[in-house]
């Protein structure tokens, strides 16, 4: 019969005929055979099973083996013995390798035939040893899967005893770590996944049967994925094990891992990164659960360095997994947790921003319900991130356009989502986020590193640095040997101009310039900081000059060395070009202006006047509903109404003009961190008893102006400035005490700018205190920013000295002689004003992003503007049509509209966006539409540069080489920058 079978399989008979003959051979298995015949038949069928050249022969071999083994069991038991099985497992069969899965197929078939025979127990013991040996040899996925199938069908072959069983599980884990797919086609990948599933399924069975093996197996798993060996990368097939770990063990295991002192940070970082890689495994379940649990566990023990490094390394990979539907749910869960917990810096979010739009378009093209659902979740997440990390309009604009038709979460929901996952406050005390710096951006500008909620300082410094004339004056000062704040500002400006770094850390300047009442690492008001900084610089220069003057006079009788020392200190600030009057400080020259305030009693017509210096004007928002009824600002009582800030307290100069920096908030106060003022009632008419017909007609004229102001949908800076300069009626609780009347009277207060600054700083009073809710609210109204602003200035024919700080006594113009001289300041009644509109060009805009004064973010837009207009910014030949101040104050059309358009189109890349470390090109169009696109991003502080100024520099100076129009640096400063650049480039 064996010869018939052998001849059959090698013959050329048709396949149907062969099958008929095979069936008859199988049926003849019941025929009694000798032991030799049975052995020959078993040997032949074994050869066919293991070495059959085609599937038909191998199938014939299996059928014959099973048939004859079943009817001749004793003979087969003698044939299928320990020696045969051991030889197959260790040496293979002929040319067939012992690592071929066919060997295990054959052994499994043989075990089925002798299950009821006593000798099977000996084979079980043999296979227990051989199974452990096989897994220690790191079998390939096909062989390992076949072994696990055999062990699953015959659990008696699993290694016995705690030690062997534990070793088997640990070695099987390591074998999975070495798995690699042998192909990339879908069928090959499906086969690979099924093989891995077979192996992980066996481990689950072992863990279930012997729970003591689970924890050591997981420890082995962690040892594999935390290894620092760069020559070996564990397979993501390990992800298949996660689904078999009981979820109730999460808390215990994570706590054990995160608190184990033997687990180093580098090992934990490596393990977490590889676990995140497991999100790519298509059939893995609960991987995201374990990853998120580990992230939370690390946050609980404040392992923030690990969290930062892992997030920045892996967040792009996690985001890319969203492209694949099988792994999308888990990837989105991990991505959401990473972004919502990483709230101290926008760096992680900005890594995925460039990829968001293409993914959104892909989801939309799918049109599948599942894709739409995921798109809604992703959109909600993206909105939360853009809300939290506002101030990057250039980055977010394409995303907003892509998701514009998707539902947007409410602000309350966004705040709730953001508050649930953060693992650290906005302290930015995390150094690794500051170390990922690259080369200088294409703009050639240098950013400023955020030192922990210092964006308020960074935005102001960049605006001052981009004030070209001011920067050049600062850089030109000879401050060697001086440790003043101005010297530190010069050092900072020099590094911003010449460093090779992408961003500079202004730690020294921050510590020197931070107001004492500013809490470190908390958000502050940039306007308050700017005011304090300019005041410090001004007072410091005046003090140094006074000291130098005193020592110079004393040195006449001292030694020659003392004389030289005094002269040197006297020259510290005096060597700056274009100093003009020796009594004025650099801050006065650049930012100082003068404002004259006049109060006229409406009863006796007496007037009192005062002049005060300013470095910035704080502009309140005009209430739209109230202004429709009343023209002049009618101040009766201090209360909060409609979130608009109007206040009449002003700061006067000291008797000798000693204090320059007064925040002229004629329409708004600043009592706290942000400009917190009191709100006035605008609905009350002036007191009729003390209001004459002429005053009523003036009120009517101003009502017409107010109606024109509120007739537009969007306020402009010009509107706010006009409102600032509009007459104000003092009545009710705010009546004016008239010394001539010796009583409180209704009065009209007017203000005029009598001396304009080189740089006009305007602060928009967007914050007001709400006593009902006890919070500072923000006015989110959009304000149009004119590129060219014309400032009405009423200059006197004679120069005016700074007047003492108190109000002058009541003045009646009919007074003459000595009485008039006592009541009226010099040149007060007889001065002649020359109306003039002074043109200013927008230089910088500091933007506040947020909804309250205690939080948010600052960034700034800026460009280089000089007095004469660099690069054709403002042509001398361009005629600015100047109308009378009275007409201009009430008009909406600007004669410089054409000039604005020309200015903005000539140099499309002249505007820069400074956002802490990041500096990018932008355009004036982006500045104009920032609030319309990002409602909580509003212009807050504006810098305007006076045009046709004569306080520029002669760049042909022989004192040294001018770089990009900036003066040469002092040698010690240039040496420090050169040394730092060399270290950085190395």
């Amino acid at each position: 019969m064996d010869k018939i079978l052998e001849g059959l399989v090698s013959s050329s008979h048709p396949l149907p005929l062969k099958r008929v003959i095979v069936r008859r051979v199988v049926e003849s298995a019941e025929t009694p055979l000798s032991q030799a015949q049975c052995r020959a038949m078993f040997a032949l069928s074994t050869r066919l099973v293991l070495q059959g050249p085609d599937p038909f022969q191998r199938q014939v071999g299996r059928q014959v083996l099973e048939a004859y083994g079943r009817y001749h069991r004793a003979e087969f038991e003698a044939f299928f013995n320990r020696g045969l099985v051991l030889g197959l497992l260790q040496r293979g069969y002929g040319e067939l390798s012992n690592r071929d899965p066919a060997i295990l197929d054959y052994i499994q078939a043989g075990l089925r035939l002798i299950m009821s025979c006593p000798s099977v127990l000996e084979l079980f013991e043999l296979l227990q040893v051989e199974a452990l040996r096989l897994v220690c040899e790191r079998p390939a996925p096909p062989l390992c899967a076949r072994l696990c199938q055999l062990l699953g069908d015959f659990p008696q072959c699993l290694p016995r005893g705690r030690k062997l069983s534990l070793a088997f599980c640990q070695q099987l884990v390591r074998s999975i770590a070495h798995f690699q797919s042998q192909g990339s086609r879908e069928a090959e990948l499906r086969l690979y996944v099924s093989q891995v599933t077979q192996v992980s399924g066996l481990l689950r069975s072992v863990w279930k049967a012997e729970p003591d093996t689970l924890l050591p197996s997981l420890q082995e798993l962690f040892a594999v994925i935390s290894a620092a060996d760069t020559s070996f990368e564990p397979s993501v097939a390990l992800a298949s094990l996660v689904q078999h770990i009981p979820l109730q063990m999460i808390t215990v295991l994570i706590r054990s891992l995160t608190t184990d002192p033997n687990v180093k940070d580098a090992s934990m970082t490596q393990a977490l990164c590889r676990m995140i890689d497991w999100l790519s495994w298509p059939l893995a379940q609960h991987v995201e659960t374990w990853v998120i649990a580990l992230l939370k566990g690390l946050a609980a023990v404040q392992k923030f360095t690990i969290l930062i490094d892992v997030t920045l390394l892996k967040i792009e990979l996690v985001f890319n997994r969203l492209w694949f539907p099988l792994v999308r749910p888990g990837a989105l869960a991990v991505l959401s947790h990473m972004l919502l917990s990483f709230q101290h810096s926008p760096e992680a979010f900005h890594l995925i921003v460039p990829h968001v739009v293409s993914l959104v378009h892909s989801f939309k093209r799918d049109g599948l319900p599942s894709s739409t659902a995921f798109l809604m979740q992703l959109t909600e997440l993206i909105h939360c991130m853009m809300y939290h990390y506002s101030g990057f309009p250039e980055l977010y604009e394409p995303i907003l356009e892509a998701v514009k038709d998707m539902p947007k979460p409410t602000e309350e929901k966004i705040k709730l989502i953001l508050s649930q996952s953060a693992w650290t406050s906005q302290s930015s005390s995390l150094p690794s986020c500051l170390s990922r710096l690259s080369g200088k951006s294409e703009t050639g500008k240098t950013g400023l590193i955020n030192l922990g909620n210092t964006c308020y300082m960074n935005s102001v410094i960049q605006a001052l640095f981009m004030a070209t004339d001011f920067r050049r004056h600062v850089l030109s000062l000879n401050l060697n040997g001086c440790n003043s704040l101005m010297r530190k500002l010069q050092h900072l400006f020099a590094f911003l101009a010449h460093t090779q770094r992408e961003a500079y850390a202004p730690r020294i300047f921050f510590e020197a310039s931070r107001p004492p009442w500013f809490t470190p690492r908390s958000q502050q008001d940039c306007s308050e900081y700017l005011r304090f900084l300019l005041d410090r610089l001004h007072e410091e220069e005046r003090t140094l000059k006074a000291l130098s003057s005193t020592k110079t006079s004393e040195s006449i009788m001292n030694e020659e060395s003392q004389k030289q020392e005094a002269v040197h200190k006297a020259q510290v600030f005096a060597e700056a070009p274009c100093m003009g009057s020796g009594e004025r400080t650099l801050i006065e020259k650049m930012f100082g202006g003068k404002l004259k305030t006049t109060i006229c009693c409406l009863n006796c017509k007496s007037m009192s006047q005062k002049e005060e210096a300013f470095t910035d004007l704080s502009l309140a928002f005009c209430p739209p509903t109230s202004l429709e009824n009343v023209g002049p600002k009618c101040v009766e009582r201090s209360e909060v109404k409609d979130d608009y800030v109007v206040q009449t307290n002003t700061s006067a100069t000291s008797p000798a003009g000693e204090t320059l920096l007064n925040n002229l908030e004629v329409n708004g106060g600043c009592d706290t961190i942000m400009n917190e003022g009191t709100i006035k009632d605008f609905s009350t008419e002036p007191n009729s008893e003390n209001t004459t017909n002429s005053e009523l007609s003036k009120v009517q004229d101003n009502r017409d102006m107010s109606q024109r102001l509120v007739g537009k949908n969007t306020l402009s800076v010009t509107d706010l400035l006009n409102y600032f300069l509009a007459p104000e009626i003092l009545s009710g609780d705010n009546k004016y005490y008239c010394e001539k009347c010796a009583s409180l009277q209704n009065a009209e207060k007017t203000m005029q700018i009598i001396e304009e600054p080189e740089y006009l700083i305007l602060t928009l009073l967007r914050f007001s205190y709400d006593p009902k809710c006890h919070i500072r609210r923000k006015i989110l109204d959009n304000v149009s920013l004119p590129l060219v602003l014309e400032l009405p200035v009423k200059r006197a024919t004679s120069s005016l000295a700074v007047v003492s700080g108190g109000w002058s006594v009541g003045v009646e113009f009919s007074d003459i002689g000595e009485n008039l001289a006592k009541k009226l300041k010099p040149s007060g009644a007889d001065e002649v004003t020359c109306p003039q509109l002074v043109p200013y060009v927008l230089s910088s805009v500091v933007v506040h992003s947020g909804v309250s004064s205690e939080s948010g973010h600052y960034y700034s837009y800026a460009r280089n503007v000089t007095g004469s207009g660099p690069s054709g910014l403002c042509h001398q030949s361009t005629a600015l049509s100047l109308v009378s101040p009275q007409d201009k104050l009430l008009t909406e059309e600007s004669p410089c509209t054409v000039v604005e358009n020309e200015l903005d189109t000539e140099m499309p890349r002249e505007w820069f966006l400074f956002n802490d470390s990041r500096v990018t090109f932008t355009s004036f169009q982006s500045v104009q539409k920032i609030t319309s696109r990002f409602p909580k991003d509003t212009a807050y502080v504006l810098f305007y540069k006076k045009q046709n100024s004569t306080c520029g520099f002669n760049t042909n100076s022989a004192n040294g080489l001018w770089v990009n129009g900036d003066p040469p640096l002092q040698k010690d400063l240039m040496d420090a920058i050169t040394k730092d650049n060399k270290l950085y480039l190395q």
Side-chain angles (χ1 to χ4, degrees):
M1 188 62 66
D2 58 335
K3 292 182 179 180
I4 296 175
L5 180 61
E6 188 172 2
L8 172 66
V9 297
S10 61
S11 68
S12 60
H13 295 302
L15 187 59
L17 179 59
K18 287 183 178 182
R19 287 177 175 170
V20 172
I21 298 174
V22 169
R23 186 164 55 250
R24 290 183 179 178
V25 170
V26 171
E27 291 172 354
S28 66
E30 301 177 13
T31 305
L33 297 174
S34 65
Q35 188 174 359
Q37 289 176 321
C38 287
R39 187 174 183 83
M41 186 61 70
F42 292 145
L44 175 60
S45 58
T46 298
R47 180 165 60 84
L48 290 176
V49 169
L50 297 177
Q51 292 186 321
D54 56 65
F56 174 73
Q57 293 192 26
R58 292 193 290 272
Q59 181 182 8
V60 169
R62 280 193 296 271
Q63 291 177 352
V64 171
L65 181 67
E66 291 176 2
Y68 280 81
R70 187 165 52 251
Y71 288 106
H72 305 276
R73 195 174 301 274
E75 288 79 3
F76 183 73
E77 182 182 6
F79 174 79
F80 192 74
N81 56 28
R82 176 186 174 89
L84 174 67
V85 173
L86 185 61
L88 290 173
L89 291 172
Q90 293 187 353
R91 296 184 298 275
Y93 185 87
E95 296 180 356
L96 188 68
S97 168
N98 66 327
R99 300 180 71 85
D100 194 301
I103 296 289
L104 296 178
D105 284 339
Y106 176 79
I107 292 175
Q108 184 171 1
L111 289 176
R112 288 198 189 98
L113 293 174
I114 63 170
M115 271 298 293
S116 58
C117 301
S119 62
V120 75
L121 297 177
E122 183 183 10
L123 294 180
F124 286 160
E125 291 179 0
L126 171 66
L127 288 172
Q128 289 173 12
V129 176
E130 289 299 306
L132 181 56
R133 180 186 63 80
L134 273 176
V135 296
C136 288
E137 294 177 354
R138 308 289 175 257
L143 179 60
C144 195
R146 194 61 194 85
L147 174 64
C148 291
Q149 183 181 351
L150 185 152
L151 297 176
D153 290 344
F154 296 96
Q156 302 91 331
C157 299
L158 284 167
R160 296 295 176 181
R162 186 179 186 281
K163 185 176 181 180
L164 291 178
S165 181
L166 180 56
F168 175 78
C169 290
Q170 291 175 326
Q171 293 302 319
L172 195 54
V173 168
R174 289 198 171 269
S175 293
I176 297 175
H178 284 76
F179 283 0
Q180 297 296 332
S181 174
Q182 300 302 314
S184 58
R185 295 197 296 266
E186 182 178 354
E188 294 170 327
L189 293 175
R190 288 182 180 275
L191 177 61
Y192 173 65
V193 170
S194 67
Q195 292 166 350
V196 174
T197 303
Q198 182 78 47
V199 177
S200 65
L202 178 68
L203 268 175
R204 177 192 57 185
S205 301
V206 175
W207 290 341
K208 193 172 184 179
E210 299 184 49
D212 289 346
T213 62
L214 175 57
L215 188 56
S217 298
L218 297 181
Q219 291 173 339
E220 190 72 16
L221 174 61
F222 183 79
V224 170
I225 63 176
S226 63
D229 183 9
T230 57
S231 63
F232 169 68
E233 185 63 31
S235 171
V236 294
L238 289 169
S240 62
L241 300 178
V242 175
Q243 59 190 318
H244 304 314
I245 306 173
L247 292 177
Q248 56 267 29
M249 293 184 66
I250 285 183
T251 304
V252 176
L253 289 175
I254 296 301
R255 185 183 299 117
S256 174
L257 280 176
T258 55
T259 58
D260 187 349
N262 296 320
V263 179
K264 305 302 180 184
D265 286 0
S267 299
M268 182 63 74
T269 301
Q270 190 73 273
L272 187 51
C273 285
R274 286 167 173 162
M275 286 180 66
I276 292 173
D277 291 341
W278 293 352
L279 291 170
S280 303
W281 188 252
L283 299 181
Q285 299 177 16
H286 310 310
V287 170
E288 70 278 6
T289 304
W290 283 92
V291 169
I292 293 173
L294 186 53
L295 290 171
K296 290 181 177 179
L298 290 170
V301 295
Q302 298 187 347
K303 297 281 189 178
F304 298 136
T305 301
I306 298 176
L307 292 169
I308 292 172
D309 291 342
V310 170
T311 301
L312 297 179
L313 283 171
K314 291 297 180 181
I315 196 162
E316 288 180 279
L317 180 143
V318 175
F319 184 84
N320 288 335
R321 297 285 79 80
L322 297 179
W323 287 92
F324 306 100
L326 279 177
V327 300
R328 188 177 291 159
L332 184 59
V334 174
L335 179 72
S336 298
H337 182 81
M338 279 183 157
L339 290 176
L340 293 173
S341 60
F342 195 96
Q343 292 190 24
H344 68 283
S345 164
E347 187 174 4
F349 177 53
H350 288 174
L351 287 175
I352 70 167
V353 162
H355 315 296
V356 170
V357 173
S358 57
L359 183 64
V360 168
H361 289 327
S362 175
F363 281 174
K364 288 182 176 180
R365 285 193 300 269
D366 284 350
L368 300 175
S370 59
S371 296
T372 303
F374 277 113
L375 179 57
M376 293 183 66
Q377 296 178 53
L378 178 64
T379 301
E380 181 177 87
L381 175 64
I382 296 299
H383 274 298
C384 289
M385 291 298 97
M386 291 191 296
Y387 177 91
H388 186 62
Y389 301 122
S390 56
F392 298 90
E394 309 296 320
L395 287 177
Y396 301 161
E397 185 79 26
I399 298 178
L400 284 177
E401 183 65 26
V403 301
K404 63 182 180 182
D405 54 347
M406 300 299 297
K408 181 180 179 180
T410 63
E411 186 175 329
E412 290 73 19
K413 186 174 183 180
I414 290 176
K415 289 181 177 179
L416 178 63
I417 293 172
L418 290 172
S419 66
Q420 291 175 342
S421 301
W423 40 254
T424 181
S425 64
Q426 295 183 353
S427 65
S428 288
S429 57
L430 307 166
S432 54
C433 69
L434 304 180
S435 61
R436 297 167 57 86
L437 299 179
S438 57
K440 214 163 187 177
S441 72
E442 62 172 349
T443 64
K445 300 296 181 182
T446 303
L448 287 171
I449 294 173
N450 193 313
L451 305 176
N453 280 327
T454 58
C455 57
Y456 67 89
M457 176 189 72
N458 291 349
S459 58
V460 165
I461 293 302
Q462 294 287 16
L464 290 174
F465 178 79
M466 295 297 286
T468 308
D469 288 348
F470 176 65
R471 177 182 74 246
R472 292 175 178 174
H473 275 92
V474 171
L475 292 176
S476 68
L477 294 173
N478 182 8
L479 300 174
N480 288 335
C482 180
N483 193 31
S484 63
L485 182 61
M486 182 65 80
R487 169 67 173 176
K488 294 179 174 63
L489 180 63
Q490 184 186 61
H491 184 277
L492 176 54
F493 277 6
F495 268 83
L496 285 178
H498 300 288
T499 184
Q500 292 298 316
R501 297 178 182 272
E502 179 193 35
Y504 180 73
R507 292 184 179 87
I508 296 176
F509 185 80
F510 171 67
E511 292 301 330
S513 66
R514 178 174 61 85
W517 60 91
F518 275 18
T519 304
R521 299 195 176 279
S522 63
Q523 187 60 277
Q524 305 293 343
D525 175 18
C526 76
S527 176
E528 186 178 4
Y529 172 79
L530 173 61
R531 219 170 289 126
F532 176 81
L533 175 62
L534 296 182
D535 188 30
R536 277 277 310 276
L537 294 171
H538 165 73
E539 292 296 333
E540 182 183 79
E541 182 178 350
R542 289 197 320 109
T543 301
L544 285 174
K545 283 186 175 182
L547 183 61
S548 299
S549 176
T550 302
K551 289 193 174 184
T552 301
S553 62
E554 293 177 351
S555 66
I556 297 176
M557 301 183 66
N558 290 343
E559 297 294 333
E560 184 66 18
S561 60
Q562 294 176 332
K563 181 184 296 185
Q564 292 176 354
E565 180 183 357
V567 171
H568 171 71
K569 290 186 176 181
Q571 292 177 345
V572 165
F573 282 90
E575 293 184 4
C578 195
M579 289 296 289
S581 173
E583 299 301 320
R584 300 187 69 198
T585 66
L586 177 59
I587 301 303
E588 286 178 300
K589 296 191 191 84
M590 291 290 104
F591 305 103
K594 286 183 184 177
L595 190 76
K596 181 175 73 174
T597 305
T598 303
I599 294 183
C600 176
C601 174
L602 296 182
N603 182 44
C604 67
K605 303 300 180 294
S606 63
M607 299 177 66
S608 60
Q609 297 178 327
K610 75 168 181 179
E611 291 180 12
E612 47 194 346
F614 68 86
T615 53
D616 75 305
L617 299 179
S618 297
L619 306 182
F621 282 74
C622 32
T625 55
S626 302
L627 276 176
E628 293 178 0
N629 302 319
V630 178
K633 294 171 284 189
C634 182
V635 182
E636 287 205 346
R637 57 186 178 274
S638 299
E639 62 178 292
V640 176
K641 182 176 182 180
D642 298 331
D643 289 343
Y644 285 94
V645 181
V646 177
Q647 187 169 327
T648 59
N649 58 336
T650 60
S651 301
T653 56
S654 60
E658 297 294 322
T659 302
L660 165 72
L661 301 181
N662 298 307
N663 177 27
L664 298 183
E665 296 173 21
V666 178
N667 296 314
C670 183
D671 303 323
T672 54
I673 293 179
M674 289 293 187
N675 297 310
E676 173 190 336
T678 55
I679 312 305
K680 308 305 177 186
D681 185 358
F682 293 86
S683 60
T684 307
E685 293 286 346
N687 191 326
S688 60
E689 293 180 359
N690 299 318
T691 305
T692 63
N693 292 335
S694 62
E695 274 72 48
L696 289 176
S697 63
K698 188 172 184 178
V699 168
Q700 181 62 44
D701 293 339
N702 283 282
R703 180 188 296 117
D704 295 338
M705 178 198 73
S706 302
Q707 289 174 344
R708 282 194 292 270
L709 290 182
V710 300
K712 297 186 291 184
N713 293 329
T714 301
L715 289 171
S716 71
V717 172
T718 304
D719 295 332
L720 301 186
L721 187 59
N722 290 342
Y723 180 66
F724 176 85
L725 297 173
E728 184 175 2
I729 300 298
L730 306 180
S731 60
D733 292 341
N734 282 287
K735 284 185 177 181
Y736 166 67
Y737 181 80
C738 177
E739 293 190 7
K740 183 173 183 179
C741 298
S743 62
L744 294 173
Q745 296 292 335
N746 287 349
E748 182 185 66
K749 180 168 70 173
T750 58
M751 290 183 296
Q752 296 174 342
I753 298 172
I754 60 173
E755 186 175 318
E756 74 280 9
E758 287 296 322
Y759 284 94
L760 175 65
I761 302 177
L762 302 176
T763 301
L764 309 187
L765 297 179
R766 291 189 172 274
F767 299 97
S768 62
Y769 183 72
D770 186 344
K772 297 179 182 178
C773 301
H774 301 289
I775 60 174
R776 298 179 186 88
R777 295 188 179 277
K778 180 178 179 181
I779 302 171
L780 296 172
D781 294 4
N782 192 9
V783 177
S784 174
L785 309 178
L787 189 61
V788 176
L789 177 71
E790 291 183 321
L791 186 69
V793 179
K794 294 190 176 182
R795 295 193 183 92
T797 54
S798 59
S799 60
L800 297 177
V802 180
V803 182
S804 62
W807 286 98
S808 59
V809 295
V811 175
E812 188 172 359
F813 283 111
S814 58
D815 290 348
I816 58 173
E818 184 178 355
N819 187 39
L820 176 63
K822 291 181 179 178
K823 294 184 179 181
L824 187 62
K825 63 178 183 175
S827 74
D830 57 348
E831 65 178 281
V832 180
T833 58
C834 304
Q836 183 178 359
L837 290 175
V838 179
Y840 282 81
V841 173
L842 186 62
S843 170
S844 301
V845 180
V846 178
V847 176
H848 175 262
S849 177
V851 294
S852 72
S853 60
E854 291 82 10
S855 63
H857 178 62
Y858 289 103
Y859 58 96
S860 56
Y861 293 93
R863 62 172 177 166
N864 285 309
V865 178
T866 58
S868 57
S871 302
L873 238 182
C874 190
H875 298 286
Q876 296 286 352
S877 59
T878 302
L880 297 177
S881 174
L882 302 180
V883 297
S884 67
Q886 293 81 359
D887 294 338
K888 173 59 185 162
L889 192 63
L890 306 180
T891 59
E892 296 180 13
E893 297 296 330
S894 169
C896 294
T897 303
V898 177
V899 177
E900 288 191 24
N901 295 333
E902 290 179 357
L903 294 180
D904 192 44
T905 55
E906 286 175 3
M907 298 182 64
R909 292 165 71 89
E910 69 176 354
W911 282 93
F912 303 94
L913 173 57
F914 296 91
N915 198 326
D916 288 335
S917 300
R918 180 183 176 87
V919 186
T920 56
F921 284 116
T922 185
S923 65
F924 184 61
Q925 284 76 15
S926 297
V927 182
Q928 288 176 312
K929 66 180 181 180
I930 182 67
T931 304
S932 61
R933 294 297 290 159
F934 302 92
K936 64 191 185 79
D937 291 29
T938 54
Y940 183 42
V941 179
L942 313 176
F943 285 69
Y944 278 90
K945 176 67 179 73
K946 186 172 72 170
Q947 291 304 285
N948 303 321
S949 170
T950 60
C951 198
F953 276 89
N954 177 13
T955 58
N956 296 321
S957 171
N959 294 331
L961 178 64
W962 289 62
V963 181
N964 295 325
D966 286 347
L969 301 180
Q970 300 296 324
K971 184 179 184 304
D972 62 333
L973 192 52
M974 197 66 244
D975 290 344
I977 296 173
T978 302
K979 181 179 178 181
D980 182 74
N981 285 340
K982 287 181 179 179
L983 290 174
Y984 174 72
L985 294 175
Q986 288 173 359

